[in-house]
Amino acid sequence: MKLLKGVTIVKNKNWKYKIGVDTFSFVPLTISLIIFGGVTVWLKIADNGIFLFTGFISALLIIIALYNLYRLFASKLLISEDGFYHQTHIGNGKFYKYLDIEEAWISEGRSVNGVINKYLNYRTFDGTVVKYYFTSQYTDEIEYLVSQISKESDNQNEE
């Protein structure tokens, strides 16, 4: 099903792995927001001036929650047996069959603060290279994706 030019939406597919679809991260954020929001309201009712400080923290938590909601709907990598769906922004997702990808590899880079970041890189046959940041908890899933692409590439080269 086509939504926009070059954008494909894939629904009702059995995904083997889902990366970037983490709703559990909202639990501690929601608890913190309820606590700070409640304390802010209580301090305001008690006419205590410190409510400005807790209100500021509550506002920051709301901003973080909105950003996490956007990331939940905007950035995802869904992996199936015959291909994968990659989306970086709302409305730009695309399903790739493993045969559509020329090459895939994992790279690492050190950020300014010294943290090692991991990236999935893949090149389509039109020469476009796409880089996808992932956390260490998804290393096995990304390695599966790279191995599937390599396997399909090897099969295609044999023919």
Side-chain angles (χ1 to χ4, degrees):
M1 176 171 121
K2 294 282 185 186
L3 177 66
L4 301 170
K5 184 178 179 182
V7 177
T8 306
I9 294 183
V10 178
K11 294 183 180 179
N12 302 327
K13 188 154 182 70
N14 291 330
W15 301 110
K16 186 168 181 149
Y17 300 112
K18 295 180 179 182
I19 300 172
V21 183
D22 180 21
T23 56
F24 181 74
S25 64
F26 287 102
V27 173
L29 182 62
T30 303
I31 291 171
S32 300
L33 187 56
I34 289 170
I35 290 171
F36 274 97
V39 169
T40 300
V41 170
W42 177 68
L43 289 171
K44 176 65 176 160
I45 291 171
D47 203 27
N48 189 331
I50 199 73
F51 82 91
L52 293 171
F53 177 71
T54 57
F56 177 72
I57 293 174
S58 298
L60 285 177
L61 290 172
I62 289 170
I63 291 168
I64 293 169
L66 292 173
Y67 175 74
N68 282 343
L69 274 174
Y70 174 77
R71 294 287 299 169
L72 178 68
F73 293 109
S75 179
K76 60 182 80 170
L77 184 67
L78 308 174
I79 304 169
S80 69
E81 294 291 331
D82 60 340
F84 65 97
Y85 177 78
H86 184 202
Q87 177 179 321
T88 56
H89 301 293
I90 293 176
N92 79 337
K94 184 173 181 183
F95 182 79
Y96 296 94
K97 292 184 179 183
Y98 293 129
L99 292 172
D100 297 338
I101 306 300
E102 182 179 0
E103 179 183 19
W105 65 96
I106 297 173
S107 64
E108 293 181 350
R110 192 172 296 273
S111 66
V112 176
N113 63 357
V115 175
I116 296 176
N117 297 318
K118 294 185 173 194
Y119 300 94
L120 163 69
N121 303 278
Y122 61 88
R123 178 181 299 121
T124 60
F125 282 103
D126 66 359
T128 305
V129 176
V130 179
K131 193 178 212 180
Y132 179 78
Y133 167 77
F134 68 94
T135 58
S136 296
Q137 72 186 34
Y138 295 115
T139 301
D140 292 340
E141 291 86 346
I142 297 295
E143 286 176 352
Y144 170 81
L145 175 61
V146 170
S147 70
Q148 289 296 101
I149 292 170
S150 296
K151 188 186 330 177
E152 290 296 328
S153 179
D154 291 342
N155 288 342
Q156 193 174 30
N157 290 336
E158 288 176 4
E159 295 174 357

